[in-house]
Amino acid sequence: MLPHTHFLFGLLLAILGYWGGQFDKASAIILAIASVAIDVDHPIAYFIHHGKLRLKNAWNNAAKQREHERTFIHTPVGIVIISAILLLLMRFDIIAYVLFLAYFSHMLLDYLYNKTYKPNKFVKILNIEIPIFFPEIVLDMFLIAANIIAFYFAF
């Protein structure tokens, strides 16, 4: 999924969690940001493979799925290990719960995206390849509407 979709989904979880009394505003903000920040492994993987940090190149390689641009946190073993650690830490700190929601929601969206989408249509803006995937656009519109409605009732 594209970063904004991860953010919109994380934001919806954050607003619903705040509205439901699961956590405070600060934790909600952390959840929304962490939902997209998990993809920091893409430029890290690019750096590991190429020895230089080029964000545009890392983005384009990830968007076009030209090479394996993910690290341990996006592998099945990584998902199990990180989830287990966060589940254990949840007993002691609300932030572990928030990070678990951010991580699990991110992995769920990535799984659905990778199982349904093979990139073939792109828009190029400033030499940055942006994939066009109609179901994600529909999901984004739904998430925007859901966020507005949830925000209205939560605040």
Side-chain angles (χ1 to χ4, degrees):
M1 289 276 162
L2 294 174
H4 66 275
T5 306
H6 286 299
F7 177 76
L8 289 170
F9 192 64
L11 181 62
L12 181 61
L13 292 176
I15 293 170
L16 293 175
Y18 174 75
W19 185 21
Q22 294 295 308
F23 34 81
D24 59 10
K25 287 180 185 176
S27 297
I29 292 168
I30 290 169
L31 184 125
I33 293 170
S35 294
V36 70
I38 291 165
D39 272 339
V40 72
D41 71 324
H42 295 288
I44 291 170
Y46 185 86
F47 178 78
I48 290 168
H49 290 118
H50 299 279
K52 51 190 166 191
L53 187 58
R54 301 279 192 266
L55 294 179
K56 181 182 73 171
N57 293 349
W59 170 276
N60 288 340
N61 280 347
K64 293 245 178 167
Q65 299 179 352
R66 284 192 280 237
E67 57 187 51
H68 186 70
E69 77 291 337
R70 294 170 180 226
T71 61
F72 173 75
I73 67 172
H74 274 85
T75 66
V77 172
I79 292 169
V80 169
I81 291 172
I82 291 171
S83 295
I85 291 168
L86 290 172
L87 284 169
L88 290 172
L89 293 175
M90 268 192 240
R91 300 182 66 175
F92 308 107
D93 193 1
I94 188 71
I95 295 301
Y97 173 60
V98 167
L99 292 176
F100 176 81
L101 287 175
Y103 182 69
F104 193 77
S105 68
H106 184 101
M107 293 302 124
L108 176 65
L109 288 177
D110 274 0
Y111 174 80
L112 294 173
Y113 183 79
N114 289 327
K115 288 297 179 190
T116 60
Y117 177 62
K118 300 296 179 226
N120 61 1
K121 295 182 182 179
F122 295 87
V123 173
K124 198 173 204 175
I125 300 173
L126 300 174
N127 286 329
I128 297 172
E129 303 280 351
I130 301 172
I132 304 300
F133 182 47
F134 184 72
E136 186 172 3
I137 294 168
V138 172
L139 176 61
D140 290 340
M141 291 187 299
F142 169 78
L143 288 172
I144 289 168
N147 273 298
I148 290 169
I149 293 166
F151 189 84
Y152 175 79
F153 286 107
F155 297 97

